[in-house]
DNA sequence: ATATCCACCTGGCGGC
DNA sequence: TGCCGCCAGGTGGATA
């Protein structure tokens, strides 16, 4: 499902509807997501929304005494609807606001999560995350040092949240193609120059995907229901066996860490 | 610590 | 049309 761009697009979409509003209460039709939605979230009543922020692929709806953590998993998405709109299949959680609108979480596969982080504490899931790819803290030097320690394939390392957060399967494939680096390369064989290029490409692709509303494959949509438009920019993801857009060699598709991996064995070394 | 594999869950698709 | 196996944007946890 959503990678960092799709989560950021969701954040940008819901934030104007939430910030400054008062959250009246929460309804859970299905409490069992990846984890059980905790009592603290269900007990929220009459709390102003201070901000909607993001860390990695986690959305944080900030209240005075803590934050609601929302993760979209593979198939989750958020929409804002009028409170008289009846919930559909897989519409699991509603947050009801004082202006008659509802923030509604739909998650077919229920790999997503809704959790609670008390003010002043950091949820364990957020405590060991690596740097944000679009922030300055994600430096080429840090990335290179992490790669030096690892002999796993570079694609696996790029998708490791301890190294850098937010890079999922689509954008890992795309970034490695644009950087001209084979996904199978042991991470510790990359030069500093290659890590520098890869870092820059990751940042460009994620930023571009955000401006285009993310990538819609099947169930992702923006909060207004429109699809993301980055799909048309994809060079290799989902194109195994088809010609490389640069050299026309048929793209190779393999599995790395149980994830579909597509690359051009001619352009990527 | 690192690397690998499995698990969670639903639905869509291709093949027979 | 039906059934079956495989695939899907994530990631924590068990294992060696």
């Amino acid at each position: 499902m959503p990678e960092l761009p799709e989560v950021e697009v969701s954040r940008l979409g819901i934030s104007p509807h939430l910030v400054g509003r008062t959250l009246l209460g929460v309804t859970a039709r299905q409490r069992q997501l990846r984890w059980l939605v905790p009592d603290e979230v269900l007990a929220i009543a009459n709390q102003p929304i201070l901000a909607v922020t993001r860390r990695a692929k986690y959305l944080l709806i900030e209240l005075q005494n803590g934050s609601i953590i929302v993760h979209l998993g593979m198939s989750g998405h958020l929409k804002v609807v009028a409170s008289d709109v009846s919930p559909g299949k897989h519409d699991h959680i509603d947050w009801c606001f004082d202006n008659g609108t509802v923030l509604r979480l739909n998650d077919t596969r229920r790999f997503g999560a809704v959790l609670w982080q008390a003010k002043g504490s950091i949820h364990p899931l957020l405590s060991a995350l690596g740097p944000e790819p679009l922030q300055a803290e994600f430096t080429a030097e840090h990335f290179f040092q992490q790669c030096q320690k690892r002999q796993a394939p570079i694609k696996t390392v790029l998708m490791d949240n301890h190294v850098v957060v937010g890079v999922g399967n689509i954008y890992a494939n795309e970034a490695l193609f644009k950087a001209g680096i084979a996904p199978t390369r042991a991470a510790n064989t990359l030069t500093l120059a290659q890590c520098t290029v890869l870092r820059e490409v990751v940042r460009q692709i994620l930023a571009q995907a955000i401006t285009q509303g993310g990538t819609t494959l099947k169930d992702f949509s923006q909060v207004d229901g429109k699809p993301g438009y980055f799909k048309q920019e994809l060079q290799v993801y989902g194109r195994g066996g088809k010609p490389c857009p640069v050299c026309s060699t048929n793209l190779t598709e393999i599995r790395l860490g149980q994830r579909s991996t597509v690359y051009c064995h001619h352009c990527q070394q």
Side-chain angles (χ1 to χ4, degrees), chain A residues 2-150:
Chain A
E3 299 188 29
L4 185 145
E6 292 74 40
V7 177
E8 181 64 11
V9 167
S10 297
R11 187 186 76 78
L12 293 168
I14 66 171
S15 183
H17 295 280
L18 269 57
V19 176
R21 298 246 76 90
T22 294
L23 173 54
L24 299 179
V26 184
T27 301
R29 282 173 291 275
Q30 168 59 274
R31 219 180 143 173
Q32 187 61 55
L33 303 180
R34 180 164 191 185
W35 295 281
L36 196 69
V37 177
D39 289 331
E40 290 94 328
V41 171
L42 300 183
I44 295 166
N46 300 315
Q47 294 293 317
I49 306 293
L50 306 182
V52 181
T53 59
R54 178 187 61 72
R55 174 73 173 106
K57 295 173 189 166
Y58 298 93
L59 288 170
L60 297 157
I61 300 173
E62 300 185 4
L63 312 181
Q64 286 169 344
N65 62 342
S67 299
I68 304 164
I69 299 173
V70 178
H71 194 287
L72 299 174
M74 289 280 267
S75 57
H77 62 266
L78 292 165
K79 53 195 169 184
V80 175
V81 297
S83 58
D84 57 2
V85 174
S86 353
K89 199 171 187 184
H90 307 304
D91 280 342
H92 304 311
I93 312 286
D94 279 358
W95 288 268
C96 304
F97 296 94
D98 57 342
N99 64 342
T101 62
V102 170
L103 174 68
R104 184 164 281 170
L105 173 67
N106 180 288
D107 186 2
T108 305
R109 297 177 69 183
R110 285 191 273 130
F111 288 176
V114 173
L115 301 165
W116 177 250
Q117 174 173 268
K119 180 149 185 114
S121 68
I122 295 180
H123 195 283
L125 291 178
L126 307 190
S127 64
L129 294 171
E132 287 287 329
L134 297 177
Q135 301 292 316
E137 59 187 0
F138 177 44
T139 63
E141 289 72 22
H142 164 267
F143 185 44
F144 177 61
Q145 285 164 15
Q146 294 293 312
C147 286
Q148 286 289 96
K149 302 193 300 190
R150 306 281 295 267

Side-chain angles (χ1 to χ4, degrees), chain A residues 174-223:
Chain A
E174 294 298 312
L176 286 162
F177 174 75
K178 194 166 181 182
I181 297 167
T184 47
R185 277 272 297 277
N188 61 6
T189 67
L190 267 66
T191 63
L192 173 59
Q194 287 176 315
C195 286
T196 303
V197 169
L198 185 52
R199 165 195 178 267
E200 195 51 40
V201 163
V202 164
R203 290 162 59 90
Q204 284 173 11
I205 287 178
L206 294 178
Q208 186 191 355
I210 290 168
T211 66
Q212 299 193 11
T215 299
T216 294
L217 295 181
K218 49 201 301 191
D219 39 23
F220 174 74
S221 72
Q222 302 184 55
V223 171

